[in-house]
Amino acid sequence: MAKLEVLLAGATGYIGGTILSTLLNTKNDLLEHCNLSLLVRGEDKARVFNAKGLKTVLFDDLGNTHEIERIASNYDLIINTTPGGSVNSAAAFIKGLGNGKALTGHDVFYIHTSGTSNLADQPITGAYHEPRTFTDTSPDLHPYLQHRNKLTPYAQRTADLTVISTGLASSVKTYIIMPPTIYGTGTGLFNRLTIQAPIIMRSALRNGQVLKLGADDGDVECVHVQDLADLYILVAGRVLKGGDLDGMPSGVRGIYFASTDRYTWKEFADGIAEAMVEVGGIKTKEIKEVGLEEAAAEWTGGHKLLCELNFGSNFRTRPDTSRSLGWQPSRTKDDFNNHFLETAKLVMETQT
């Protein structure tokens, strides 16, 4: 069987970098089944990868969809770990794969990065209440996403729906990885920091204390970045090794959850405050509760919906499909509790 051509988009980022380092530094044999290329913006970063014997493909910008579509047509599998809210680039990747399939007749595959904020409720504004626990085996998950997006358009959710519809129209098998809050230090060559905790930590440096959105204590989920990388590699491996894909849903059923543990927003704020005091970033562990407008101005550039869904919501998922594939995350709630100090140290290093 000929090796498949694989493109990893986002190798300089937190998730993509961790996936790449895991492939290179473990006994995983995935690279024996493919020719791997990295989609990279900037010759300086490309040279870093090239020096390690890795093949790179330069591109200008995710907004250049014609370029993305052209590049994608040369590959059998694309693993896209760039920000999940980029609707047009996601569609371009898939259309490009479809164009390539039209020429070769070979099956092509696309793995997309999303997040469970798509399912989160809105307790601060009261705009949406969601008590259920979602499972990735549920047949009504896709209709639910459609329903929620009709009520309140959300870029990341729009991108997921676009991935599914474009994949079906282009005869491309699509798989959406939908993790909750990701924590832990990444192992890539460039960005090693997650998003949410560092945002609050930098805000604490500006304000002298940690801010928390609202008085309510939402209940959400998390996954360690290494466990998440293992799930991507597991899904990609099923494709690359030519195994039976009947047990690996794609398209409207191809959504994969990645939750391992639960936490509350109070736990999150307290963990950050303790860590920031320990590293000398702030002097008080006291938490200041703020409203949505102030929190959005501090953390999300004024985007209130983005802020509420990602810093003050509730959601519950069960990764039944992911685990049925053999995904076995190994990190525990202790790892989550311990990551705050590690992340705070990295944040302080980047401030100098």
Side-chain angles (χ1 to χ4, degrees):
M1 179 179 176
K3 287 187 176 182
L4 298 184
E5 298 294 329
V6 177
L7 182 68
L8 174 60
T12 61
Y14 176 59
I15 300 173
T18 303
I19 292 171
L20 178 61
S21 68
T22 302
L23 288 172
L24 296 175
N25 299 322
T26 68
K27 295 181 179 180
N28 191 295
D29 64 349
L30 197 64
L31 293 180
E32 297 176 8
H33 298 269
C34 72
N35 296 314
L36 178 65
S37 299
L38 312 177
L39 186 65
V40 179
R41 181 167 47 197
E43 292 185 1
D44 54 338
K45 293 179 180 178
R47 282 193 293 269
V48 174
F49 289 124
N50 296 155
K52 295 184 175 294
L54 297 167
K55 182 180 178 181
T56 56
V57 179
L58 288 169
F59 78 112
D60 292 329
D61 189 88
L62 288 174
N64 188 342
T65 55
H66 293 294
E67 181 185 33
I68 295 297
E69 191 171 330
R70 175 187 59 79
I71 292 171
S73 66
N74 298 308
Y75 293 91
D76 302 294
L77 166 66
I78 293 176
I79 305 171
N80 182 12
T81 64
T82 63
S86 182
V87 178
N88 293 333
S89 63
F93 278 122
I94 297 169
K95 289 177 181 178
L97 285 168
N99 293 339
K101 179 179 181 177
L103 293 175
T104 66
H106 299 155
D107 283 338
V108 290
F109 310 88
Y110 175 79
I111 300 175
H112 183 73
T113 301
S114 182
T116 48
S117 59
N118 288 351
L119 310 170
D121 66 6
Q122 297 175 252
I124 306 297
T125 60
Y128 199 89
H129 176 62
E130 183 53 78
R132 82 175 86 176
T133 297
F134 294 91
T135 170
D136 47 13
T137 61
S138 174
D140 69 347
L141 194 52
H142 178 248
Y144 176 85
L145 292 174
Q146 291 177 312
H147 168 70
R148 284 292 301 272
N149 225 40
K150 287 180 181 177
L151 294 176
T152 308
Y154 179 51
Q156 183 176 258
R157 197 160 49 216
T158 302
D160 287 2
L161 293 170
T162 300
V163 164
I164 293 170
S165 62
T166 308
L168 293 173
S170 305
S171 298
V172 175
K173 293 184 184 297
T174 59
Y175 309 93
I176 297 173
I177 309 293
M178 194 178 285
T181 297
I182 310 169
Y183 71 92
T185 302
T187 56
L189 296 176
F190 296 94
N191 180 30
R192 299 167 60 208
L193 280 170
T194 185
I195 298 175
Q196 285 157 294
I199 284 176
I200 297 178
M201 288 175 179
R202 294 186 183 107
S203 169
L205 290 174
R206 293 191 299 269
N207 291 278
Q209 69 180 127
V210 171
L211 307 183
K212 177 183 176 294
L213 175 56
D216 292 337
D217 201 12
D219 185 27
V220 286
E221 298 167 332
C222 57
V223 63
H224 192 280
V225 66
Q226 186 60 66
D227 286 329
L228 179 60
D230 290 343
L231 178 58
Y232 278 86
I233 291 170
L234 179 64
V235 173
R238 288 284 289 265
V239 171
L240 293 173
K241 294 179 182 180
D244 181 12
L245 297 180
D246 290 340
M248 194 170 80
S250 62
V252 295
R253 299 294 297 272
I255 296 174
Y256 295 78
F257 292 151
S259 56
T260 59
D261 292 290
R262 305 195 62 76
Y263 69 92
T264 67
W265 291 116
K266 184 179 186 303
E267 287 180 88
F268 202 65
D270 286 342
I272 290 173
E274 290 179 12
M276 291 300 288
V277 167
E278 184 164 343
V279 299
I282 57 177
K283 295 181 179 180
T284 178
K285 296 180 182 179
E286 183 179 350
I287 308 298
K288 179 183 178 183
E289 295 174 358
V290 297
L292 182 56
E293 186 169 347
E294 183 177 349
E298 279 285 335
W299 301 335
T300 58
H303 294 282
K304 295 180 184 179
L305 176 63
L306 187 65
C307 184
E308 183 175 19
L309 294 179
N310 287 279
F311 293 96
S313 61
N314 300 275
F315 58 82
R316 299 166 186 82
T317 63
R318 205 169 64 230
D320 294 331
T321 301
S322 297
R323 288 186 177 273
S324 73
L325 296 181
W327 184 51
Q328 297 179 324
S330 61
R331 279 71 181 180
T332 67
K333 185 67 177 288
D334 286 340
D335 293 296
F336 175 77
N337 293 333
N338 293 334
H339 97 278
F340 292 110
L341 182 57
E342 185 178 294
T343 302
K345 290 177 179 177
L346 284 174
V347 167
M348 294 300 289
E349 288 176 11
T350 61
Q351 296 301 115
T352 60

